[in-house]
Amino acid sequence: MKYVLVTGGVVSGLGKGVTASSIGVVLKACGLRVTTIKIDPYLNTDAGTMSPFEHGEVFVLDDGGEVDLDLGNYERFLDIKLTRDNNITTGKIFQAVINKERRGDYLGKTVQVVPHITDEIQDWIERVAVVPVDGKEGPPDVCVIELGGTIGDIESMPFIEALGQFSYRVGPGNFCLVHVSLVPVLNVVGEQKTKPTQHSVRGLRGLGLAPDVLACRSTEPLEEHVKAKLSQFCHVPVSNIVNLHDVTNIWHIPLLLRDQKAHEAILKVLDLQYDGKVPREPELTKWTKRATKFDKLKTPVKIAMVGKYTGLSDSYLSVIKALLHASVAMERKLVVEWVPSCDLEDSSAKETPEAHKKAWKLLKGADGVLVPGGFGDRGVQGKILAAKYARENNVPYLGICLGMQIAVIEFARSVMKLRGANSTEFDPATTSPCVIFMPEGSKTQMGATMRLGSRRTYFHVSGCKSAKLYGNASSVDERHRHRYEVNPDMVPDFEKAGLQFVGKDESGKRMGIVELPSHKFFIGAQFHPEFKSRPGKPSPLFLGLIAAASGQLEPLLQRSNPTTKACSISKVPKLKLYPTGPVNNPLNSLVNGYYPNGTGIHT
């Protein structure tokens, strides 16, 4: 087994996640099978209870693991399916060691950071690295490991020690360290400075690790004499110093690595020589076409993102990526208009009139409206007003998770005249509980107690827009993350009033997809379709939103296979029970980290 470790120095947010993902892309393009592991040195067991303002979005995997959002980038770039074990946290390691100590597995030994914590880290890496994630049998060829945080952080020390031991454990030729560092330019001097990287590498060496490859982040391409200086003081060959300068979109990063022969440097360290079969020269034709196509897009499509975490775009990272995938497929330049939901509310008109006016101007100027998921009642009324505006003005609308529930509440209030309609999350005493707490959830235990992971939704209405977008499939498997759901007792009244619940679970009691047939495009999904969107395979619902917002929906729907019919209710299997037990973010900003101004994404 071969291992590539990606570490970061100088400052956080350099793009280790993108770098690790891009290394994986290039190695995969060489014909190697790749898996990944993200190490997060925080004490949380997983990312599930963290605020989006703290570490960005929580990414959900098929097995229900709530993990760091960098795993989402790994899945998107490499088109793989990871598990909760591919995200290691200090909390998980400590918990595993303490559980062993309580069982007596250490036979009375004094349990210490070295060797017990460090051994657990190494054992975890070796165990997970051999698990296939690409749907094929047999272990992968290479495991790319990203160590979160910055070299020198106190909380990273046990992992640094463990990885130093691990490099010796697996032996020469099986371990390659790629260090991502910053080469800044001081405006006063106008010169690329190498000293921060020198200090970072010195600190890394002092901790027992020596970089094999330097990945230098900079605004402009590195000058040759700067590379020579880095090579001299960091003891890394010039051929092993690659420059990841700012580019128009992050899909160019694997191409930068390929063009600078980074794969050759890594393969040489890992004792993988070209033999005419595997590995080969990287095949990135489709990737190149996609990156180039993105840069040439001219016709804009404006999507109003109405949420309460709009101050940090990373809070909706997967949603942005899914919109990008769909917009490129529909040949449109994406413009995300960030609309704070609180600013749409009537109270904002009195307290912050300028913000209120701006928010409504952005909403009304958009080609489509998207209300993403979220928790808590702050800004909910603004989201309801956004759904109302989209419904009444025939503006394409996509509601995800809470966004679907919002659409249902708005419909109940405005169309069915149920003035007190609400979710019990926001008003436990509501007389018209449109959305209720799900039965297997917990109101006291926050972590991993939601409906999580991949669940199947069956289409109950043939010919609906959602089914057509999914290729007239009878069912879809998408990832969930919610505690509340539409009240099944009120569904007949909703459908009588014109709101169709076209997708449901096996029992027919959990609502998965809602549509307004009379509307151009008004769809809500209880699941999170953004988590399975890929650059070459956009999420169907996001594709539908962009198509509707750009006047291309009908041609898109007509491309669906007309011979396949959606399943009828009678064909839906009986209810199956799924486990809901425990499951398993400094962000290397995937949006801002590599995006200079002028990309069409408003951050």
Side-chain angles (χ1 to χ4, degrees):
M1 188 72 193
K2 307 290 184 177
Y3 300 89
V4 177
L5 172 64
V6 179
T7 60
V10 184
V11 295
S12 60
L14 285 179
K16 293 193 305 299
V18 175
T19 303
S21 301
S22 299
I23 289 171
V25 167
V26 176
L27 293 180
K28 183 178 179 181
C30 289
L32 298 168
R33 294 175 61 201
V34 180
T35 185
T36 64
I37 293 175
K38 173 66 189 294
I39 297 175
D40 285 302
Y42 46 67
L43 280 169
N44 305 63
T45 302
D46 57 41
T49 58
M50 286 192 246
S51 165
F53 284 122
E54 191 77 17
H55 281 291
E57 74 171 8
V58 175
F59 191 81
V60 179
L61 303 171
D62 267 7
D63 67 354
E66 296 174 282
V67 296
D68 183 89
L69 51 75
D70 277 330
L71 274 78
N73 210 50
Y74 303 156
E75 284 203 344
R76 284 187 289 269
F77 268 49
L78 296 167
D79 194 18
I80 55 179
K81 289 184 179 180
L82 301 173
T83 70
R84 67 189 66 165
D85 287 342
N86 291 91
N87 191 194
I88 303 176
T89 70
T90 301
K92 286 182 180 180
I93 295 296
F94 275 53
Q95 190 174 63
V97 170
I98 289 171
N99 288 342
K100 287 182 178 180
E101 185 271 332
R102 292 289 84 186
R103 290 197 305 265
D105 292 2
Y106 297 122
L107 303 175
K109 295 281 187 180
T110 301
V111 180
Q112 298 174 290
V113 172
V114 181
H116 301 99
I117 294 295
T118 52
D119 283 352
E120 183 67 30
I121 293 168
Q122 296 177 68
D123 293 344
W124 192 303
I125 291 172
E126 277 195 326
R127 182 179 74 251
V128 174
V130 297
V131 177
V133 293
D134 55 3
K136 300 177 183 178
E137 294 184 358
D141 301 306
V142 180
C143 178
V144 179
I145 306 166
E146 179 194 348
L147 175 61
T150 306
I151 293 301
D153 294 345
I154 292 175
E155 58 266 28
S156 299
M157 292 303 180
F159 292 102
I160 293 291
E161 175 62 30
L163 289 165
Q165 294 179 20
F166 189 71
S167 65
Y168 178 76
R169 178 173 174 173
V170 299
N174 295 315
F175 188 88
C176 177
L177 198 163
V178 179
H179 188 59
V180 184
S181 187
L182 177 67
V183 179
V185 173
L186 299 180
N187 291 333
V188 177
V189 183
E191 178 187 3
Q192 293 176 334
K193 309 300 289 185
T194 64
K195 193 64 71 176
T197 297
Q198 292 180 44
H199 282 299
S200 180
V201 171
R202 187 176 299 131
L204 189 62
R205 288 181 178 278
L207 294 170
L209 287 169
D212 299 296
V213 177
L214 274 183
C216 298
R217 287 284 289 113
S218 61
T219 54
E220 300 293 334
L222 285 185
E223 298 172 15
E224 287 304 316
H225 74 89
V226 173
K227 281 189 175 183
K229 190 173 182 180
L230 285 169
S231 175
Q232 179 182 3
F233 287 99
C234 297
H235 305 165
V236 175
V238 172
S239 59
N240 286 22
I241 298 176
V242 295
N243 178 211
L244 304 180
H245 54 79
D246 287 351
V247 290
T248 51
N249 68 76
I250 61 172
W251 294 336
H252 282 290
I253 302 303
L255 306 181
L256 281 179
L257 291 172
R258 178 202 61 188
D259 294 344
Q260 296 176 73
K261 305 295 183 182
H263 57 287
E264 292 185 3
I266 294 171
L267 293 174
K268 185 177 180 180
V269 174
L270 294 178
D271 275 349
L272 290 169
Q273 305 301 323
Y274 293 117
D275 60 5
K277 296 180 181 178
V278 175
R280 58 172 184 261
E281 281 294 325
E283 171 52 51
L284 290 168
T285 304
K286 290 183 179 179
W287 196 276
T288 303
K289 287 181 178 178
R290 190 181 303 119
T292 305
K293 181 180 181 181
F294 180 100
D295 293 337
K296 292 180 179 179
L297 297 175
K298 301 293 183 184
T299 307
V301 57
K302 294 183 180 181
I303 302 297
M305 182 87 77
V306 183
K308 68 176 185 176
Y309 307 121
T310 54
L312 179 65
S313 60
D314 295 334
S315 301
Y316 302 115
L317 188 63
S318 290
V319 175
I320 296 171
K321 296 303 179 185
L323 286 170
L324 275 172
H325 302 161
S327 62
V328 171
M330 300 309 298
E331 299 187 347
R332 290 294 184 270
K333 184 179 180 67
L334 176 66
V335 178
V336 176
E337 303 285 17
W338 297 98
V339 182
S341 54
C342 293
D343 291 346
L344 294 172
E345 298 175 357
D346 294 338
S347 58
S348 176
K350 299 177 181 179
E351 298 169 4
T352 54
E354 287 301 318
H356 180 77
K357 182 179 179 181
K358 180 182 177 182
W360 274 102
K361 183 178 180 181
L362 290 175
L363 181 65
K364 292 181 177 180
D367 302 309
V369 177
L370 193 152
V371 177
F375 297 91
D377 60 356
R378 185 173 67 84
V380 163
Q381 185 56 34
K383 295 178 182 180
I384 290 175
L385 291 172
K388 180 181 176 69
Y389 167 79
R391 181 183 58 79
E392 292 181 343
N393 293 277
N394 206 30
V395 176
Y397 175 90
L398 176 61
I400 299 172
C401 196
L402 177 60
M404 168 182 163
Q405 298 170 8
I406 288 296
V408 171
I409 293 170
E410 190 280 322
F411 187 87
R413 291 181 182 180
S414 303
V415 178
M416 300 171 65
K417 307 303 179 185
L418 300 175
R419 301 300 181 189
N422 213 332
S423 167
T424 56
E425 179 182 6
F426 314 131
D427 181 9
T430 176
T431 55
S432 299
C434 301
V435 180
I436 60 174
F437 189 77
M438 55 187 293
E440 70 268 38
S442 170
K443 292 186 178 181
T444 56
Q445 188 75 17
M446 298 300 291
T449 57
M450 293 180 276
R451 186 169 172 82
L452 288 164
S454 183
R455 308 295 176 112
R456 182 157 294 180
T457 298
Y458 294 88
F459 288 108
H460 286 240
V461 178
S462 61
C464 64
K465 291 186 181 73
S466 302
K468 287 182 178 179
L469 289 169
Y470 279 100
N472 284 321
S474 60
S475 64
V476 293
D477 294 322
E478 294 280 11
R479 297 175 184 177
H480 293 66
R481 186 176 187 254
H482 65 277
R483 285 191 175 88
Y484 292 80
E485 58 190 17
V486 174
N487 186 350
D489 294 337
M490 294 185 68
V491 168
D493 295 331
F494 281 120
E495 295 192 323
K496 191 181 296 183
L499 195 64
Q500 283 191 335
F501 290 90
V502 300
K504 303 177 183 180
D505 78 335
E506 300 94 329
S507 67
K509 293 188 178 297
R510 295 180 183 273
M511 305 303 116
I513 307 175
V514 63
E515 285 189 22
L516 193 59
S518 58
H519 197 280
K520 179 195 297 185
F521 185 91
F522 195 93
I523 294 178
Q526 185 60 72
F527 48 78
H528 289 262
E530 68 270 23
F531 290 145
K532 296 183 75 171
S533 183
R534 303 288 183 264
K537 294 181 287 186
S539 164
L541 295 186
F542 281 86
L543 200 62
L545 175 65
I546 296 296
S550 59
Q552 304 179 77
L553 183 60
E554 286 307 315
L556 178 66
L557 295 178
Q558 288 172 7
R559 289 205 295 266
S560 300
N561 183 358
T563 60
T564 305
K565 295 183 179 180
C567 71
S568 63
I569 296 178
S570 62
K571 293 181 181 178
V572 177
K574 294 181 179 179
L575 173 65
K576 297 178 182 178
L577 298 178
Y578 290 87
T580 58
V583 298
N584 260 333
N585 187 342
L587 171 66
N588 304 317
S589 180
L590 308 184
V591 176
N592 299 323
Y594 285 111
Y595 279 73
N597 294 331
T599 60
I601 299 180
H602 293 186
T603 56

